[in-house]
């Protein structure tokens, strides 16, 4: 039998109640066809995000009971610092309450108006924090990383030609280079160690530091172990150490690969920057041994980082995502290829070719998934990204219309995820019955969070 090894069993459960289709229809109408406005207890399988949604282990909960809540010098901080130094290898470890604060502290210290930051692809909070400083966030991923159909083992890789061109154009306006592992905005695609090494050598040659956006570093290391020559026999921790040895620091959201619900940190080797940022930390987050987190939160992060390095955990976790993708492909549901580490992306443009982009096909599919199955994903398409051409005023649309189904860590069983694949297949079979949406209300910025919509024909799915 081809069943995966499940590296945990269930000790505590959270009740999930079944909600009738009639009730879901009522809630969806009330929510203005926006799944961000749904109450989470009306959702059966919630794949809105893998951020902060992990299930903690008994060892993490146990560690939380032993939190040392001293204002300064908490025992948990020293364990947090030592655990992070052991894996990441950097000299200074600065706790923050989320990844975006680590970004904000770093960027407000190192960027000025007109600075340029190259990255494979900036995650949205990273881009926003770079731009908030009046700097330019430049994406330099390889061409394959932008094509949803091309098979490539490391679609998150940086394009060294694009990076070289950036240095030719902007020169000393570039204070550091970033690499995001795995490349979240490119579909959770990994970066190879060969590429990391090449970027690192390039940066050393230019005399600029290399900083990792490390949110899914363990998942990236797992892909290296499976896909890159010479790493099959290495442990995840050895691979992680090798990755970070090529850089000078990292930002991290602990809500991803530290298996906690809230937390983050920033690591740096540079003493001067670390000092300056620590001073700022005290102003914004708190003293340097807690940085916006309780002692018990630091304990949970440290334990989570030890657990995330376990090969059987990663094999099962990434395997769950891959299996859900494979089940959809078998049933003819169009998805982005290859499937990355944390999410499956359904291609709504190919699934619902009769709905024009101006009528939000990916949002219609997101709503239909909730209506039919109580499944929540998130639209990454024209609701999130459409704009207007500054010269002509004509509407512009993103290249892709996607529904992202992000899998929380250690939360759902195979049954849940097979159900999601089944729902997608059912909707695929009756795709022509789905209709488009129109906007009733939109905010001037980041409209996808609060927009209210309604079905153009009065009915999302025709009887
Ligand atoms: C989530 C995420 C962040 C931001 O972290 P928060 O903890 O949500 O503030 C930054 N970069 C990447 C790649 C992420 O996935």
């Amino acid at each position: 039998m081809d069943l995966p090894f499940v590296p945990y069993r269930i000790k505590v459960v959270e009740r999930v109640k079944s909600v009738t289709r009639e009730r879901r229809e009522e809630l969806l109408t009330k929510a203005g066809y926006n799944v961000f406005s749904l109450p989470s207890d009306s959702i059966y399988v919630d794949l809105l995000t893998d951020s902060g949604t992990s299930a903690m282990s008994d060892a993490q909960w146990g560690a939380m009971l032993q939190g040392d809540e001293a204002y300064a010098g908490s025992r948990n901080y020293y364990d947090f610092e030592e655990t992070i130094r052991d894996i990441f290898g950097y000299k200074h470890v600065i706790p923050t309450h989320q990844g975006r604060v680590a970004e904000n502290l770093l960027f407000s210290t190192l960027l000025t108006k007109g600075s340029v930051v190259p990255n494979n692809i900036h995650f949205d909070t990273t881009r926003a924090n770079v731009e908030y400083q009046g700097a330019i966030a430049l994406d330099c991923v390889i061409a394959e990383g932008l094509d949803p159909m091309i098979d490539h083992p490391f679609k998150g890789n940086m394009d060294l030609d694009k990076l070289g061109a950036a240095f030719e154009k902007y020169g000393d306006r570039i204070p550091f280079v970033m690499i995001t592992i795995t490349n979240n905005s490119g579909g959770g695609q990994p970066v190879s160690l060969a590429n990391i090494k090449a970027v690192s050598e390039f940066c050393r040659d230019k005399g600029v530091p290399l900083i990792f956006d490390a949110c899914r570093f363990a998942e990236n290391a797992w892909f290296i172990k499976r896909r890159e020559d010479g790493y099959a026999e290495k442990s995840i921790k050895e691979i992680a150490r090798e990755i970070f040895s090529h850089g000078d620091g990292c930002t991290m959201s602990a809500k991803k690969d530290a298996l906690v619900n809230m937390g983050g940190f920033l690591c740096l080797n540079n003493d001067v920057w670390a000092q300056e940022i620590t001073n700022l930390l005290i102003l914004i987050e708190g003293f340097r041994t807690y940085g916006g987190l309780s002692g018990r939160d630091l304990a949970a992060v440290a334990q989570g980082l030890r657990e995330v390095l376990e090969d059987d955990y990663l094999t099962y976790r990434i395997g769950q995502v891959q299996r859900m993708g494979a089940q959809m492909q078998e049933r003819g549901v169009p998805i982005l290829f290859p499937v990355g580490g944390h999410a499956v992306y359904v291609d709504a443009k190919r699934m619902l070719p009769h709905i024009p982009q101006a009528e939000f096909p990916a949002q219609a599919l997101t709503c239909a998934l909730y209506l039919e199955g109580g499944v929540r994903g998130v639209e990454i398409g024209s609701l999130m990204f459409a704009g207007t051409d500054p010269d002509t005023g004509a509407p512009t649309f993103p290249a892709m219309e996607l529904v992202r189904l992000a899998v929380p860590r250690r939360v759902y069983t195979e049954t849940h995820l097979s159900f999601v694949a089944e729902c997608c297949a059912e909707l695929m079979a009756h795709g022509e019955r789905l209709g488009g949406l129109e906007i009733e209300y939109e905010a001037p910025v980041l409209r996808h969070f609060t927009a209210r919509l309604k079905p153009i024909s009065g009915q999302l799915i025709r009887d």
Side-chain angles (χ1 to χ4, degrees):
M1 265 197 288
D2 197 17
L3 292 177
F5 175 71
V6 187
Y8 44 77
R9 56 189 170 194
I10 295 161
K11 191 187 303 245
V12 176
V13 295
E14 180 182 359
R15 180 80 167 92
V16 174
K17 290 205 172 128
S18 109
V19 173
T20 62
R21 192 186 187 283
E22 288 66 39
R23 178 73 183 136
R24 286 199 296 267
E25 186 155 18
E26 228 174 86
L27 288 167
L28 192 61
T29 309
K30 207 169 137 204
Y33 288 80
N34 186 334
V35 295
F36 281 102
S37 299
L38 290 171
S40 87
D41 60 6
S42 72
I43 291 160
Y44 178 36
V45 186
D46 196 351
L47 306 186
L48 184 70
T49 176
D50 68 323
S51 177
T53 51
S54 299
M56 292 211 297
S57 68
D58 53 354
Q60 283 176 296
W61 283 110
M64 284 191 81
L65 283 178
Q66 296 169 47
D68 170 1
E69 305 303 341
Y71 189 94
S74 161
R75 175 177 71 237
N76 305 119
Y77 173 74
Y78 295 115
D79 181 41
F80 174 88
E81 183 185 42
E82 198 180 304
T83 306
I84 291 168
R85 273 205 194 126
D86 184 40
I87 300 166
F88 295 75
Y90 300 122
K91 193 169 166 193
H92 302 284
V93 177
I94 300 164
T96 60
H97 87 275
Q98 273 196 246
R100 66 196 68 186
V101 185
E103 294 170 348
N104 185 285
L105 289 166
L106 184 72
F107 300 164
S108 57
T109 305
L110 297 186
L111 300 182
T112 53
K113 203 164 182 305
S115 297
V116 178
V117 183
N119 200 330
N120 41 3
I121 300 184
H122 289 264
F123 177 65
D124 49 21
T125 65
T126 322
R127 172 178 302 282
N129 268 300
V130 166
E131 290 173 352
Y132 187 67
Q133 302 299 326
I136 298 170
L138 198 67
D139 293 341
C140 299
V141 75
I142 55 170
E144 291 89 335
L146 297 170
D147 187 324
M149 302 306 292
I150 291 185
D151 194 8
H152 185 291
F154 293 103
K155 279 175 111 166
N157 280 357
M158 189 87 102
D159 185 327
L160 277 120
D161 290 335
K162 288 185 190 166
L163 188 59
F167 271 83
E168 244 160 61
K169 185 162 176 201
Y170 298 111
D172 13 319
R173 286 168 61 187
I174 303 177
F176 56 87
V177 171
M178 292 188 82
I179 301 184
T180 306
I181 53 173
T182 57
N183 186 23
N184 185 0
S185 302
Q189 301 293 333
V191 181
S192 73
L193 247 166
N195 187 254
I196 289 169
K197 231 180 276 183
V199 173
S200 171
E201 276 163 22
F202 178 94
C203 289
R204 300 242 148 113
D205 184 51
K206 298 283 180 197
V208 302
L210 174 61
I211 306 288
F212 290 99
D213 180 340
C215 298
R216 296 176 184 79
F217 76 96
E219 291 172 7
N220 200 99
W222 185 91
F223 280 112
I224 288 172
K225 185 176 164 85
R226 291 299 185 288
R227 294 183 181 172
E228 193 162 355
D229 280 348
Y231 291 95
E233 301 306 318
K234 294 219 155 102
S235 70
I236 297 297
K237 185 169 166 184
E238 285 169 325
I239 297 170
R241 276 184 172 160
E242 189 174 333
I243 291 172
F244 294 117
S245 75
H246 294 294
D248 305 279
C250 69
T251 57
M252 171 84 187
S253 168
K255 299 171 73 168
K256 285 62 174 261
D257 270 357
L259 300 171
V260 296
N261 306 117
M262 196 56 70
F265 54 89
L266 169 65
C267 293
L268 287 170
N269 280 336
N270 185 304
D271 298 331
V272 177
W273 297 346
Q275 184 62 60
E276 206 175 315
I277 286 169
T278 302
N279 297 342
L280 206 53
L281 183 81
I282 296 171
L283 185 72
I284 294 169
E285 289 274 78
F287 188 62
R288 68 175 180 84
T289 62
Y290 73 87
L293 295 170
S294 304
R296 56 179 169 270
D297 295 332
L298 296 168
V301 170
Q303 179 58 26
L305 286 171
R306 291 189 280 269
E307 292 174 9
V308 83
L309 300 175
E310 287 162 6
D311 191 71
D312 57 0
Y313 154 74
L314 286 165
T315 301
Y316 183 68
R317 186 275 184 291
I318 296 173
Q320 270 200 321
V321 181
Q322 304 289 320
R323 277 189 297 282
M324 183 169 76
Q327 285 169 1
M328 289 188 195
Q329 270 188 317
E330 277 162 25
R331 304 282 305 266
V333 177
I335 60 171
L336 289 209
F337 191 73
V339 175
H342 68 285
V344 175
Y345 295 71
V346 181
D347 186 342
K349 228 185 194 177
R350 275 193 287 153
M351 189 157 156
L352 307 170
H354 60 289
I355 303 181
Q357 279 192 280
E359 297 176 11
F360 310 108
Q363 183 66 10
L365 181 56
T366 303
C367 291
L369 265 173
Y370 174 69
L371 190 60
E372 290 297 298
V375 174
R376 178 158 70 171
V378 67
E379 190 251 21
I380 303 183
S382 43
L383 184 61
M384 193 180 267
F385 291 125
T388 41
D389 187 304
D391 298 327
T392 64
T396 58
F397 296 104
M400 293 193 266
E401 290 289 335
L402 305 175
V403 178
R404 186 188 75 175
L405 302 166
V407 181
R409 297 168 180 79
R410 304 193 292 208
V411 171
Y412 290 114
T413 64
E414 299 307 289
T415 313
H416 289 112
L417 299 185
S418 298
F419 175 79
V420 174
E422 190 68 33
C423 282
C424 289
E426 282 294 314
L427 285 172
M428 173 82 193
H430 307 290
E432 74 289 346
R433 284 171 45 207
L434 261 73
L437 298 163
E438 63 188 348
I439 289 185
E440 278 190 320
Y441 162 77
E442 61 183 311
V445 286
L446 296 172
R447 67 174 179 181
H448 57 283
F449 287 119
T450 53
R452 294 186 60 82
L453 301 98
K454 64 172 203 275
I456 293 171
S457 72
Q459 220 182 1
L460 179 68
I461 305 178
R462 253 193 354 259
D463 297 326

